[in-house]
Amino acid sequence: MYTLYIMNSETDISRLVTGPLSVNTWCIPLDSRRVIVVDPGGDSSSIIAHLVQRKLTPILFFLTHGHFDHISAIPSLCAAFPGVPVSIHEKDSKWLGKGALEQHREFFEMLGARWMVDRYGSELPSADIMIEDNQIITLLDGTIIEDWKVLYTPGHSPGCVCYWNEKRSVLISGDTLFAAGVGRTDGPGGNQSELERSLSRLARLPPQTLVLPGHGEATQLYREL
């Protein structure tokens, strides 16, 4: 099942709820064909079917952070769509590449959820693009993704980011901000002070901003202020 968030006839953002922790995987159309896939958190067959059935071509796998529940479909998606780059902030890049699975096991064991990682055996690919604060992403072939800008919002993890479209007043907030909640900071790498600074930064965005979070339902920024 997927949900559409209407922008206009060609650029409706779709949500698929994926994986055992019900991550929101967002498909952001750039036009009638090309999309950015944000946080593919599992259920890779459903994500692939969604793209294929609607004749959508992913051009970027964008990760708001590196926790396993947000990235576990990456190996299957990279196999299904070879050459599509994976992007993440450098401070969360350790969650990708050789040896990353063991780090995920250790992380989720501390949270009592190692079972989630042990179900998977696919090695995670390394990141292709390291994203930075205020960056307008340029793909490996030189394609510039206009309108969408990276906002660095650490706290839930050291490398958390949001994805902001000022023109359309839409924020993909990952696990930084939810409807009636914020990202937890009690896990390894979490930092409450950094999260508070990140939330203060988001509070300066327009109040009517549509917030599309990493879990749960969409909201508007003024409701969370």
Side-chain angles (χ1 to χ4, degrees):
M1 291 293 293
Y2 69 96
T3 306
L4 286 179
Y5 289 83
I6 305 300
M7 305 300 294
N8 62 47
S9 59
E10 287 193 342
T11 56
D12 297 344
I13 297 175
S14 57
R15 176 185 73 161
L16 296 91
V17 181
T18 62
L21 298 188
S22 298
V23 167
N24 289 331
T25 296
W26 301 102
C27 294
I28 307 175
L30 301 180
D31 50 39
S32 61
R33 181 180 60 86
R34 302 175 303 152
V35 297
I36 301 167
V37 178
V38 180
D39 289 352
D43 301 323
S44 57
S45 59
S46 296
I47 300 172
I48 293 168
H50 176 80
L51 297 171
V52 171
Q53 290 170 7
R54 288 156 188 81
K55 298 180 180 179
L56 300 173
T57 301
I59 65 166
L60 177 68
F61 300 131
F62 183 98
L63 305 178
T64 63
H65 62 295
H67 292 163
F68 192 74
D69 56 318
H70 286 252
I71 70 172
S72 63
I74 283 289
S76 296
L77 289 176
C78 287
F81 302 101
V84 177
V86 177
S87 67
I88 198 168
H89 193 277
E90 183 178 8
K91 290 188 176 180
D92 267 20
S93 62
K94 69 174 186 178
W95 300 116
L96 293 170
K98 186 176 181 181
L101 269 181
E102 187 53 40
Q103 294 189 77
H104 285 291
R105 291 189 183 100
E106 293 174 1
F107 179 89
F108 279 94
E109 186 169 30
M110 294 179 187
L111 301 179
R114 178 175 169 138
W115 58 269
M116 188 174 64
V117 184
D118 285 341
R119 295 173 17 169
Y120 293 82
S122 299
E123 196 69 45
L124 292 160
S126 299
D128 301 293
I129 298 173
M130 297 295 180
I131 52 182
E132 301 176 356
D133 189 29
N134 293 317
Q135 180 180 6
I136 304 298
I137 294 177
T138 302
L139 301 184
L140 303 179
D141 64 359
T143 299
I144 299 173
I145 300 178
E146 298 178 355
D147 296 337
W148 289 92
K149 183 170 73 171
V150 176
L151 301 181
Y152 178 47
T153 54
H156 176 65
S157 78
C160 264
V161 300
C162 297
Y163 214 19
W164 162 238
N165 188 315
E166 182 177 7
K167 181 178 179 181
R168 295 180 179 145
S169 201
V170 176
L171 179 75
I172 308 289
S173 63
D175 280 9
T176 298
L177 178 65
F178 307 121
V182 299
R184 62 189 293 180
T185 58
D186 57 336
N191 187 301
Q192 183 65 28
S193 296
E194 286 192 336
L195 179 63
E196 290 172 2
R197 285 193 290 272
S198 295
L199 294 171
S200 294
R201 181 183 189 185
L202 296 184
R204 295 193 291 271
L205 299 179
Q208 297 296 327
T209 295
L210 176 65
V211 178
L212 304 179
H215 301 268
E217 297 303 315
T219 184
Q220 287 180 285
L221 188 59
Y222 76 89
R223 298 180 184 276
E224 311 311 320
L225 294 178

